[in-house]
Amino acid sequence: LLQIYREVKARGRTMQFWGDIIMAHPELATALPRDVIALEWGYDAEHPFADHGAKFAASGVPFYVCPGTSSWNTVAGRTDNALGNLRSAAENGLEHGAVGYLNTDWGDNGHWQPLPVSYLGYAAGAAFSWAYAANRELDLAEVLSRYAFWDGAGVIGRLVYDLGNAYLQTGLLTPNSTSLFHILQNPPEKIAGYDQLTAANLQKTLAYLDQVLTPLTKAQINRPDADLIRRELSWAAAMLRHACRRGRWALGREQDQEEIDLRRQLAQEADQLLAEHRKIWLARNRPGGFKDSQARLEKMKRDYDPQT
């Protein structure tokens, strides 16, 4: 780290580095120069920003708090977790003298979340980091409708907010991700072994998703990409619906005609999801990463082949 610091310093820059070293070896903090910035990162609502902030303050090394939008490894976000994580970072960063707030948005495992899924985390991070006391209880659904989506009907912010909480309906919470995402990414044998995952909760999640998406047709999005936003959110919801049906299939697989018919239905859904994913990705994003993202969907589809 000190070798890198010397290279950065020689070029007249300020080095930032992930602060794990201070948490793992606080005794080494005295060897670090004071014109660097450590980045204290953590992406779950329960991340110990308070404890770590106190240790950073004691080290004397300037630091940022680095929460995240909770969009990655989810498809549609984790609203409650994102808000808890972003609030905690701001509150404890202020308490312990953090010199900055870095909001992060990652793309692990194929970057399946469309861009509008991250708007909630962007808005909350901006509000909490700029004026935490004033914005702690911000009506984020209204803010999203008005300032992110320019929705004259005022419904799309609540839709995105609630869609991002579909993960809570499954009864199975996983760190830095959602169980629905893991259902889409993992083979059926592994899904069947998930503790606390039940067909009843997956059916409950399906009903929740249908309810959440109902107002989408009423949205009056006054943006040039309005149609694309509707397609992106519809695709994200369709992915979560597919996860629910895939999960129920994985939990109750039996080699009979009914199971074979269900595989065919899931394979047809997967084809539709693949085709729409290609369109919405290329409509907004550069092609870099697209092949990897599609390959993960294709792997999911192969699980439905009766020969596997």
Side-chain angles (χ1 to χ4, degrees):
L1 189 65
L2 291 175
Q3 286 181 321
I4 297 171
Y5 165 75
R6 287 191 288 272
E7 295 295 334
V8 173
K9 182 73 172 177
R11 289 159 176 78
R13 306 297 183 183
T14 298
M15 183 179 76
Q16 297 180 328
F17 64 99
W18 298 115
D20 307 54
I21 185 174
I22 293 181
M23 291 301 100
H25 301 283
E27 72 279 3
L28 296 179
T30 56
L32 293 171
R34 293 303 181 262
D35 58 346
V36 298
I37 298 174
L39 304 177
E40 160 56 14
W41 62 274
Y43 307 130
D44 284 309
E46 298 79 17
H47 181 76
F49 280 115
D51 176 60
H52 288 190
K55 290 178 179 177
F56 274 108
S59 77
V61 176
F63 72 100
Y64 281 16
V65 286
C66 306
T69 64
S70 297
S71 66
W72 60 95
N73 289 337
T74 70
V75 181
R78 293 189 292 160
T79 296
D80 280 8
N81 182 82
L83 296 181
N85 180 238
L86 293 160
R87 284 193 183 104
S88 177
E91 182 174 337
N92 290 292
L94 288 167
E95 175 71 19
H96 297 290
V99 298
Y101 184 109
L102 174 64
N103 194 3
T104 64
D105 191 46
W106 303 105
D108 304 42
N109 297 306
H111 204 303
W112 281 355
Q113 76 275 19
L115 178 62
V117 168
S118 295
Y119 289 170
L120 181 145
Y122 294 164
F128 299 155
S129 62
W130 183 255
Y132 178 65
N135 291 321
R136 177 180 169 81
E137 303 302 329
L138 192 68
D139 185 343
L140 200 57
E142 180 182 353
V143 166
L144 288 171
S145 284
R146 182 176 299 183
Y147 297 111
F149 295 105
W150 306 348
D151 177 17
V155 299
I156 196 73
R158 172 54 58 184
L159 187 155
V160 170
Y161 189 106
D162 291 343
L163 184 62
N165 271 335
Y167 77 106
L168 297 174
Q169 310 302 312
T170 65
L172 174 58
L173 303 183
T174 54
N176 202 31
S177 60
T178 68
S179 57
L180 293 172
F181 183 85
H182 289 296
I183 289 171
L184 293 167
Q185 292 256 337
N186 288 313
E189 296 79 12
K190 187 170 183 178
I191 298 166
Y194 292 160
D195 292 337
Q196 299 178 300
L197 186 67
T198 68
N201 279 343
L202 291 172
Q203 185 62 36
K204 173 186 170 185
T205 306
L206 272 171
Y208 175 86
L209 289 166
D210 289 342
Q211 178 183 2
V212 167
L213 264 288
T214 298
L216 184 58
T217 57
K218 300 178 182 178
Q220 300 172 13
I221 305 172
N222 187 25
R223 288 177 44 141
D225 59 349
D227 289 341
L228 179 57
I229 287 172
R230 291 188 185 92
R231 290 178 64 181
E232 288 169 326
L233 295 176
S234 296
W235 179 84
M239 285 281 283
L240 297 187
R241 289 192 186 100
H242 188 81
C244 293
R245 287 189 278 267
R246 176 179 169 87
R248 295 186 71 192
W249 164 67
L251 290 173
R253 284 189 306 154
E254 293 184 9
Q255 294 294 329
D256 56 21
Q257 186 59 46
E258 185 176 348
E259 193 267 350
I260 293 173
D261 291 342
L262 179 56
R263 281 189 184 219
R264 289 198 184 104
Q265 294 171 16
L266 291 170
Q268 290 172 357
E269 284 185 12
D271 277 334
Q272 294 167 359
L273 291 168
L274 271 158
E276 183 67 358
H277 177 253
R278 171 182 291 275
K279 293 174 183 176
I280 62 175
W281 180 296
L282 297 177
R284 191 187 292 281
N285 307 302
R286 291 180 295 181
F290 173 69
K291 289 183 178 180
D292 171 69
S293 190
Q294 282 266 296
R296 294 172 184 274
L297 284 167
E298 290 164 354
K299 180 181 177 183
M300 177 189 75
K301 181 191 169 184
R302 286 197 295 274
D303 290 334
Y304 307 134
D305 186 339
Q307 303 304 317
T308 60

